[in-house]
Amino acid sequence: MAKPQPSWGLGIPGPDTPASPRTLRTLRKIQSHQVLSSSSALIAQTQNSHPGGQSADFDSGIPGSATRARAHRRARSNSDASTREAAATPPTTQRRPARKTGSGIGLKRSLLENFLRDGPQSDNPREGLQELKYLVLSSRVDADADGMSPYRIYLWLILLDIPPMPTDDYLALIHRGRSPAYAKIRNDTFRTLATDPLFKRRVTEASLIRLLNAVAWKLHDARPKPRSRPTSSRRREMELLVNTPPSIAEEPASVFGGELEKNKSNQPSDPAMYVQGMNVLCAPFLYAARSEVEAFALFHYFVTRECPGYIRGAMDGVHKGLRLVDRCLEIVEPKLAAYLFSKGMHAELYAFPSVLTLCACTPPLPEVLHLWDFLFAYGAHLNILCIVAQLIRMRDMIFESPSPNKILRSFPPLDAKEIIALTVLIVRKIPEDLYAEMITHAK
């Protein structure tokens, strides 16, 4: 088997590596997707540029130069039909003008895609990043009905500042076999987004197990190692015990680096290799990525840099986030907060999954991806306000229900556009000291 290239696992060769048939097939599929996405608009443009539709080869039915050129090509499979059509299309049609001639929303999407392809106009990286964030906020990422976008995963990599990861590094973790957290992982993976047909059709349980097991190995390697017991004679050990002050001699393990050091590694400040809920948090990364290596790089970075407090043994970051949901709701909607508190409904009872998974537990998955575009652009801490925004949208139902716990047991389907718009409005009402706590609560 060919050695994987140190890229995002797409199999795209470097400048000195000959292109393999698999690479050419991948490139043809990418080109095919581009042609199919703009074919109808290209036909409309050609008809407009030729009055009456008399000059286009595919309208007149007369074999033109493109048809003759296509006839001399060697036969390919049916899956390459769109690629052969693309090769026969005049060069001017490769600019995909359809998205630029559409509505204002289409123009904004085109600007975001062009930005990712061509880069910012300014040489200042800070200004370029601000421009990219504004484009994410002002327009949704161009995606199909399933939430799939050809460039979303690269947008996330840019926003989170994650460099490419060699595929061999990921394979090395896979080849290490089962991690100490493997049994816990297997107990959760089979029910990950079990009712979501989009996720089940695209992501296999095997890939989810591999990724979580690889992350568990990375977290295992990063844990502080207990000091081993020094190799010394029994006489030397007895001398140390005799010469040790009584307060320390009562705990001889602290002298020789035994059980005390082992207990230190079990403190809440130490990250766990796996906690329940990491499987749901990992799911959107696997769904949106084009390879497991991309998903691994994103997920590992996210749980270790953006929200390490969420995966500690005590999940102290999640509990801090739940208290912040109550405090923010009191400021933004005091009547709603008072009503929920009077019923004994604090965020700990209904918002734990939403805080831990950044709302990935609430379908539909395409809307989760749009919400994550916003969170990765402006900070995952804004998920606290996104939960508050969902409560505000449910306000009338909550007030009308004598038992709001039944309503809050499962949130209504996500509407990312409405939630983001409401979050942008209510963020102005949050005091600076409380907002600072939101930023650091998951660290």
Side-chain angles (χ1 to χ4, degrees):
M1 183 176 66
K3 184 177 180 181
Q5 298 295 329
S7 65
W8 284 120
L10 297 177
I12 298 178
D16 300 328
T17 306
S20 64
R22 181 178 180 181
T23 301
L24 297 177
R25 187 162 57 251
T26 303
L27 296 176
R28 287 198 301 270
K29 288 182 179 179
I30 296 175
Q31 186 180 13
S32 174
H33 171 78
Q34 296 175 346
V35 173
L36 289 175
S37 64
S38 57
S39 58
S40 60
L42 294 177
I43 294 175
Q45 185 198 25
T46 308
Q47 290 176 343
N48 293 335
S49 60
H50 301 86
Q54 298 296 327
S55 300
D57 291 337
F58 50 80
D59 285 340
S60 60
I62 301 175
S65 58
T67 307
R68 290 193 300 271
R70 194 163 58 247
H72 289 286
R73 293 182 179 272
R74 65 182 180 88
R76 294 182 183 271
S77 62
N78 292 334
S79 62
D80 296 330
S82 56
T83 307
R84 286 179 280 143
E85 294 292 339
T89 308
T92 55
T93 62
Q94 300 295 332
R95 300 176 184 175
R96 295 191 300 170
R99 293 185 179 179
K100 296 184 180 181
T101 58
S103 61
I105 297 178
L107 180 60
K108 291 180 181 178
R109 291 176 183 173
S110 178
L111 287 175
L112 178 57
E113 187 174 359
N114 289 339
F115 184 96
L116 293 173
R117 184 181 65 246
D118 303 331
Q121 297 180 356
S122 173
D123 295 333
N124 189 330
R126 184 181 298 273
E127 294 179 359
L129 184 60
Q130 292 298 327
E131 181 183 356
L132 177 61
K133 291 180 178 181
Y134 172 77
L135 289 174
V136 173
L137 180 62
S138 60
S139 64
R140 291 162 66 96
V141 171
D142 196 3
D144 58 20
D146 293 345
M148 302 309 301
S149 169
Y151 60 88
R152 167 176 277 128
I153 195 67
Y154 304 111
L155 173 66
W156 290 2
L157 292 167
I158 294 171
L159 292 173
L160 296 178
D161 193 20
I162 300 177
M165 175 184 177
T167 304
D168 288 344
D169 292 354
Y170 178 68
L171 293 177
L173 295 170
I174 299 299
H175 294 158
R176 290 174 67 174
R178 298 181 178 183
S179 70
Y182 181 79
K184 294 182 180 179
I185 293 172
R186 288 301 304 269
N187 286 337
D188 287 342
T189 51
F190 72 93
R191 52 183 171 224
T192 303
L193 303 184
T195 60
D196 194 317
L198 297 178
F199 180 78
K200 289 298 182 182
R201 186 168 65 241
R202 180 172 175 82
V203 181
T204 64
E205 184 185 0
S207 63
L208 191 60
I209 294 172
R210 284 194 299 268
L211 194 150
L212 290 171
N213 193 69
V215 170
W217 275 124
K218 288 284 288 185
L219 296 176
H220 174 271
D221 296 342
R223 299 177 72 175
K225 302 295 188 297
R227 293 199 299 266
S228 59
R229 183 167 179 164
T231 57
S232 59
S233 66
R234 183 171 181 80
R235 180 178 177 180
R236 178 59 179 167
E237 294 177 3
M238 295 302 297
E239 290 177 355
L240 286 172
L241 278 175
V242 171
N243 297 328
T244 302
S247 60
I248 302 180
E250 294 175 358
E251 298 176 355
S254 63
V255 178
F256 304 109
E259 193 65 27
L260 183 61
E261 290 297 328
K262 187 194 281 188
N263 289 338
K264 284 183 179 179
S265 65
N266 293 329
Q267 295 297 321
S269 60
D270 205 44
M273 287 182 289
Y274 178 81
V275 296
Q276 191 173 17
M278 286 176 64
N279 56 316
V280 180
L281 184 61
C282 173
F285 290 113
L286 267 175
Y287 184 82
R290 301 171 73 103
S291 70
E292 285 185 29
V293 185
E294 290 175 339
F296 171 82
L298 280 163
F299 181 66
H300 177 258
Y301 170 89
F302 193 78
V303 297
T304 55
R305 300 288 298 276
E306 293 292 327
C307 59
Y310 285 6
I311 64 169
R312 295 192 184 105
M315 294 187 178
D316 53 329
V318 180
H319 292 289
K320 290 179 182 178
L322 294 170
R323 291 191 290 270
L324 287 171
V325 171
D326 287 335
R327 293 170 61 186
C328 292
L329 185 62
E330 280 187 295
I331 294 174
V332 178
E333 280 289 335
K335 293 183 179 180
L336 178 59
Y339 180 76
L340 288 176
F341 297 162
S342 67
K343 300 292 184 179
M345 295 298 298
H346 293 269
E348 291 183 353
L349 298 178
Y350 60 83
F352 191 96
S354 297
V355 173
L356 174 61
T357 66
L358 270 68
C359 297
C361 59
T362 306
L365 189 53
E367 293 299 309
V368 173
L369 301 181
H370 285 301
L371 185 64
W372 279 25
D373 297 336
F374 167 71
L375 293 178
F376 292 163
Y378 289 93
H381 61 277
L382 289 176
N383 179 55
I384 301 298
L385 298 183
C386 290
I387 298 173
V388 174
Q390 293 178 72
L391 294 173
I392 294 175
R393 299 183 73 237
M394 301 164 59
R395 176 176 47 195
D396 294 339
M397 291 189 298
I398 293 174
F399 279 137
E400 295 172 358
S401 174
S403 182
N405 61 322
K406 295 182 179 179
I407 298 177
L408 297 176
R409 192 173 300 168
S410 60
F411 284 13
L414 280 179
D415 187 338
K417 183 178 180 180
E418 295 295 330
I419 293 173
I420 293 172
L422 189 54
T423 300
V424 173
L425 290 177
I426 65 179
V427 71
R428 304 173 185 176
K429 301 181 180 180
I430 305 300
E432 292 185 3
D433 56 342
L434 182 58
Y435 192 81
E437 291 185 42
M438 287 174 49
I439 294 176
T440 59
H441 82 277
K443 303 301 183 181

